[in-house]
Amino acid sequence: MTFPRFEAWARNAGVPDMVERPTDANPAGSRPSSTNDREGQLRQRLERLGESLEAHRAAEEAANRRGKSSGFAQATKVASEFVAGVIVGAGIGWGIDKAAGTTPWALIVFLLLGFAAGVLNVLRAEGKVAEAGARLREPSEQETQRPNRDSDRPAP
Amino acid sequence: MAADKVDPIHQFHITKLVPINLGHYDVSFTNSSLFMAATVIVATLFLVMASSGRSMVPNRWQLVAEMSYSFVANTLRDAAGKAGMQFFPLVFSLFMFVLVANLLGMIPYFFTITSHIIVTFCLAMLVITTVVVYGIWKHGFHFFGLFVPSGVPAALVPLVTMIEVISFLSRPISLSVRLFANMLAGHITLKVFAGFVVTLSAAGVAGMAGSVLPLAMAVALTALEFLVAFLQAYVFTVLTCMYLNDAIHPGH
């Protein structure tokens, strides 16, 4: 069963073929008749993969540009990360003071710790410091968690 | 008089539609509740109707529904691995709720529920509670190993652990503030520029001509706000996935 309209759309959108479709020169089931034929097929495949790679690169570049251009989003990100640390530090200190009656001291100490946590948050948000768990995780485990995107393609 | 008309904060006022009092608690049905219900209904109807066709070649509605599904699924799988997929119902519901709430808020005269920090804070607390409960249930005391970094001099461990704990506790706040601040600021800016159009055009012919500039700005801002509505729903989802990843893999 074929879907000509969908296939036309997919070709225009640069979607790579999921399945190796039999071409006229080499119908399914028959062995490659000559090396010439095979080379042509490989060249076609290379071309197609190159095209999809280009599309992928362009999409990535666009994503980068979008990330850079929206300065307001970045500003709120950094500001909220920093302010949240300070607020939580001050809140914990105030709560301890309230409970233990040590009035200014816990607030002072935890406000300072909150500043430190805020700076840590900002550095993490900007990717300058590794996430808390990242150092503990074994690299081999990390590797297996990531799904292999190319696993559905045949090996070259 | 004109000042009342262009009050940019007025759009965030909460009004009681059906006053209800349970004991000492005021649990009235407000305009915020109405739009929360509307958000859930719109999101559910959209997904159910769009996917009801189940055709092999999707029509436009089904394509949008399938795209949103696979978009969230890919985001979650990239951030939290295969084990993260057990949280897919939660993450997808959150994404659709925030996205539809943001987009509904873009319709004139509609209330934007995500511009109230209590709403976004509740959503963030839901995420963090899930992370903590699942982390402790699955890993027990080991989950707290997240807060004790390795390779730090013994004298500094208490201090660094304290900072890590505060940093962890600040996540729901930064998560909620980010969404809330973006929506609030965007809607106020829109209202202010729209207000300029009204006040300028009241000042005679020259004002009329001048009001073209803020009008153009308002149009451009509307487009930007649609982008922000989607982007913030996405950011909320990505951060949720990252935090869930901590619960699933809190070190070794």
Side-chain angles (χ1 to χ4, degrees):
Chain A
M1 202 201 292
T2 54
F3 305 99
R5 273 192 68 191
F6 174 74
E7 277 171 13
W9 169 82
R11 227 174 292 127
N12 283 336
V15 178
D17 287 343
M18 303 286 175
V19 198
E20 284 289 85
R21 232 179 267 107
T23 52
D24 293 338
N26 181 21
S30 84
R31 265 176 244 107
S33 47
S34 67
T35 45
N36 243 356
D37 213 353
R38 215 174 140 69
E39 255 171 29
Q41 257 192 328
L42 278 175
R43 206 177 303 120
Q44 266 185 350
R45 194 171 143 72
L46 199 64
E47 252 173 31
R48 215 167 46 230
L49 285 175
E51 266 172 26
S52 69
L53 191 68
E54 284 302 311
H56 183 71
R57 279 206 191 114
E60 231 169 28
E61 252 171 55
N64 282 345
R65 264 202 308 276
R66 222 179 303 126
K68 272 175 205 148
S69 67
S70 77
F72 184 73
Q74 190 152 18
T76 44
K77 182 174 92 178
V78 172
S80 70
E81 290 284 2
F82 181 67
V83 169
V86 176
I87 288 176
V88 169
I92 291 175
W94 186 80
I96 290 176
D97 273 345
K98 195 96 170 159
T102 51
T103 291
W105 299 111
L107 180 63
I108 293 171
V109 170
F110 276 88
L111 193 61
L112 292 174
L113 286 176
F115 271 111
V119 172
L120 184 67
N121 279 349
V122 170
L123 289 175
R124 284 222 172 108
E126 289 301 304
K128 302 270 196 263
V129 173
E131 290 294 327
R135 274 163 296 172
L136 302 173
R137 242 164 264 155
E138 285 155 35
S140 60
E141 194 191 345
Q142 191 94 4
E143 213 72 280
T144 50
Q145 278 162 29
R146 295 280 175 278
N148 188 2
R149 282 158 195 274
D150 296 335
S151 60
D152 57 343
R153 307 249 172 79
Chain B
M1 300 171 294
D4 306 330
K5 254 185 192 165
V6 294
D7 175 11
I9 305 295
H10 182 74
Q11 56 178 327
F12 304 118
H13 278 194
I14 289 191
T15 49
K16 289 181 193 175
L17 301 179
V18 186
I20 306 168
N21 277 303
L22 273 183
H24 292 296
Y25 295 102
D26 185 5
V27 287
S28 306
F29 192 81
T30 61
N31 54 352
S32 184
S33 328
L34 176 70
F35 278 98
M36 276 184 230
T39 303
V40 172
I41 291 170
V42 167
T44 312
L45 276 185
F46 164 66
L47 287 173
V48 169
M49 307 256 277
S51 57
S52 64
R54 295 186 188 200
S55 44
M56 200 63 179
V57 181
N59 61 12
R60 282 168 223 181
W61 290 101
Q62 194 184 336
L63 190 67
V64 172
E66 282 173 5
M67 270 165 66
S68 57
Y69 180 98
S70 56
F71 177 68
V72 176
N74 286 338
T75 308
L76 182 57
R77 209 177 292 121
D78 284 352
K82 242 191 181 125
M85 287 309 281
Q86 58 188 312
F87 291 108
F88 181 75
L90 171 75
V91 176
F92 188 62
S93 308
L94 273 175
F95 174 74
M96 286 311 284
F97 184 82
V98 174
L99 179 65
V100 172
N102 288 351
L103 289 178
L104 276 184
M106 287 309 295
I107 301 173
Y109 295 105
F110 276 36
F111 184 82
T112 319
I113 53 176
T114 41
S115 64
H116 278 261
I117 192 160
I118 189 65
V119 176
T120 58
F121 186 67
C122 282
L123 293 176
M125 280 313 285
L126 175 71
V127 172
I128 296 296
T129 313
T130 311
V131 167
V132 171
V133 169
Y134 180 83
I136 292 176
W137 174 63
K138 200 80 183 169
H139 303 279
F141 193 70
H142 230 65
F143 177 65
F144 297 102
L146 191 64
F147 302 129
V148 188
S150 56
V152 174
L156 282 179
V157 163
L159 191 67
V160 173
T161 304
M162 205 81 93
I163 292 173
E164 289 282 1
V165 170
I166 295 175
S167 168
F168 182 82
L169 291 177
S170 70
R171 279 172 173 186
I173 294 184
S174 72
L175 188 59
S176 52
V177 164
R178 200 178 299 179
L179 176 57
F180 141 83
N182 269 290
M183 297 318 288
L184 184 81
H187 282 255
I188 289 178
T189 324
L190 257 185
K191 200 77 165 189
V192 166
F193 275 99
F196 283 164
V197 180
V198 177
T199 35
L200 263 179
S201 53
V205 180
M208 285 268 208
S211 68
V212 171
L213 292 173
L215 181 65
M217 194 68 190
V219 171
L221 277 174
T222 308
L224 183 72
E225 279 307 300
F226 274 109
L227 181 71
V228 167
F230 174 76
L231 208 65
Q232 287 306 314
Y234 173 64
V235 165
F236 199 92
T237 314
V238 167
L239 288 175
T240 302
C241 296
M242 274 174 51
Y243 297 162
L244 286 172
N245 185 39
D246 278 349
I248 298 164
H249 315 285
H252 53 104

